[in-house]
């Protein structure tokens, strides 16, 4: 009985944590299939199939990157722990080489849940020092093997040279979370940018884990400067974009920010700002924007975050 109550509490806490991260309960892990897309001669993207993850209806979990070749596999993000076997099976169709390196774009469980599984298979895990601190606070679980072994701060990119590629781990100042990294594959002209940009639902900035609105806007600017005209930018979720796609996204954030700032200067409360539906001019262009996300829609979550960031509450 005592154990039942204990596990109920653990489940309740876990569910609450997942909700703050935008992943509702009810993920049908058994239904998820891993889809592989080759985007350069030795670079692949692995995505979960649609319709199994209520928080990510278009593709379950976060997108994985796999750089394959004779020097061993370099991997970006580790998906939900529950589907590691499927991810490994998809990797084995690409290459029999050992999985040597894993890097996390950011903290969230749809990108890091499988960390411990891949570390136990021999991968050396890299991430921002800030991510390690955020993760060590308790999410997504107590297993120490999920924590990054090699960490780095803001500053020059960490560089890997393997499989004929130069890979740069580019630290991003507090944006989607406090410990974001972009991963650039120089020869393939590809940058995996994590979740500070998204084209399914409104922006999610996790201020409980160090993310900031200002940092997200800065990250969008620096991505546009870093990318060339043909660079493919790979978000953690949604479709592949190039630098021009960032412009309307940034302008939407600036437009909502200006409207919320105006309402704040008129003395409006958070509830009044939410009730004003300030995203309305953009709703038709944001797929999934009015779907549930945490408490309310992703539009509500976004506007609440903008309000709180401008008020200096969070
Ligand atoms: Zn995320």
């Amino acid at each position: 009985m005592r154990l039942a109550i204990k596990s109920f509490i653990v489940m309740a806490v876990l569910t609450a944590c997942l909700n703050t991260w935008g992943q509702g309960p009810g993920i049908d892990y058994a239904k998820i299939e891993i889809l592989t897309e080759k985007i350069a001669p030795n670079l692949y993207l692995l995505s979960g199939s649609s319709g199994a993850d209520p928080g990510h209806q278009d593709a379950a979990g976060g997108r994985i990157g796999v750089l394959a070749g004779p020097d061993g596999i370099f991997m970006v993000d580790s998906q939900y722990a529950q589907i590691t076997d499927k991810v490994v099976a998809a990797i084995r169709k690409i290459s029999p080489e050992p999985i040597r390196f894993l890097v996390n774009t950011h903290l969230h469980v749809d990108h890091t849940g499988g960390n411990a599984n891949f570390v136990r298979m021999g991968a050396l895990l890299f991430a921002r020092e800030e991510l390690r601190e955020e993760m060590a606070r308790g999410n997504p679980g107590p297993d120490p093997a999920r924590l990054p072994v090699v960490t780095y701060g803001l500053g020059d990119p960490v560089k890997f040279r393997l499989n004929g590629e130069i890979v740069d781990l580019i630290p991003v100042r507090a944006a989607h979370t406090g410990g974001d990294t972009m991963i650039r594959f120089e020869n393939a002209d590809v940058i995996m940018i994590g979740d500070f940009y998204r084209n399914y639902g409104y922006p999610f900035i996790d201020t409980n884990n160090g993310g900031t609105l200002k940092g997200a806007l800065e990250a969008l600017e620096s991505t546009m400067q870093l990318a060339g005209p043909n660079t493919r930018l790979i978000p953690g979720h949604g479709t592949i974009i190039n630098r021009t796609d960032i412009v309307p996204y940034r302008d939407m954030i600036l437009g909502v920010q200006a409207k919320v700032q105006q309402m704040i200067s008129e003395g409006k409360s958070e509830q009044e700002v939410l009730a004003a539906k300030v995203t309305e001019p953009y709703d038709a262009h944001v797929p999934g924007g009015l779907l549930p996300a945490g408490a309310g829609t992703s539009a509500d979550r976004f506007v609440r975050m903008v309000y709180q960031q401008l008020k200096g509450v969070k």
Side-chain angles (χ1 to χ4, degrees), residues 15 20 32 41 46 49 74 82 99 126 134 145 148 157 193 202-203 209 224 241 244 247 253 269 290 300 311:
T15 306
T20 50
I32 301 173
L46 273 49
S49 50
F74 175 97
Q82 291 86 343
I99 301 168
F126 286 68
E134 289 156 358
I193 60 175
Y202 277 98
N209 284 297
M224 282 191 279
I241 60 166
T244 57
V247 177
I253 297 175
S269 69
L290 299 180
D300 291 340
K311 283 283 272 189

Side-chain angles (χ1 to χ4, degrees), residues 164-176:
E165 184 55 277
I166 301 171
V167 186
D168 309 321
L169 311 190
I170 303 170
V172 179
R173 200 200 316 258
H176 178 61

Side-chain angles (χ1 to χ4, degrees), residues 53-76:
D53 180 355
H56 310 98
Q57 284 289 356
D58 54 333
R63 190 180 260 127
I64 285 176
V66 173
L67 175 72
D71 300 327
I73 288 167
F74 175 97
M75 189 176 166
V76 178

Side-chain angles (χ1 to χ4, degrees), residues 58-263:
D58 54 333
R63 190 180 260 127
I64 285 176
V66 173
L67 175 72
D71 300 327
I73 288 167
F74 175 97
M75 189 176 166
V76 178
D77 283 345
S78 62
Q79 266 278 12
Y80 297 122
Q82 291 86 343
I83 56 171
T84 295
D85 288 351
K86 298 181 195 187
V87 173
V88 171
I91 292 173
R92 288 293 159 244
K93 283 186 185 157
I94 298 168
S95 165
E97 300 292 340
I99 301 168
R100 287 182 65 196
F101 304 108
L102 169 63
V103 60
N104 291 150
T105 58
H106 66 285
L107 168 76
H108 292 154
V109 72
D110 49 331
H111 300 262
T112 61
N115 277 2
N117 298 333
F118 288 98
V119 165
R120 291 206 177 86
M121 291 172 64
L124 185 58
L125 176 56
F126 286 68
R128 289 274 299 282
E129 180 66 21
E130 292 85 345
L131 181 150
R132 195 179 196 283
E133 285 167 14
E134 289 156 358
M135 197 176 265
R137 286 206 304 263
N139 293 322
D143 186 345
R146 80 199 188 282
L147 297 169
V149 172
V150 184
T151 60
Y152 48 91
L154 291 167
D156 290 340
V158 176
K159 285 180 177 277
F160 286 76
R161 290 169 174 85
L162 77 170
N163 299 326
E165 184 55 277
I166 301 171
V167 186
D168 309 321
L169 311 190
I170 303 170
V172 179
R173 200 200 316 258
H176 178 61
T177 68
D180 293 1
T181 296
M182 290 196 271
I183 293 89
R184 179 189 197 186
F185 299 88
E186 293 188 12
N187 296 334
D189 200 9
V190 163
I191 310 174
M192 295 188 72
I193 60 175
D195 284 9
F196 59 79
Y197 168 92
R198 65 188 300 158
N199 53 26
Y200 190 86
Y202 277 98
F204 175 39
I205 294 172
D206 185 357
T207 54
N208 290 324
N209 284 297
T212 68
L213 176 59
K214 193 165 170 284
L217 285 164
E218 284 173 12
L220 294 169
E221 291 297 332
S222 58
T223 303
M224 282 191 279
Q225 284 166 21
L226 191 63
N230 301 316
T231 305
R232 282 167 294 170
L233 302 173
I234 319 289
H237 312 271
T239 58
I240 296 172
I241 60 166
N242 62 32
R243 65 184 184 185
T244 57
D245 295 305
I246 293 180
V247 177
Y249 179 79
R250 177 205 54 192
D251 291 349
M252 179 272 293
I253 297 175
L254 292 174
V256 170
Q257 180 179 262
K259 183 76 188 141
V260 173
Q261 185 65 65
Q262 183 200 328
M263 294 187 73

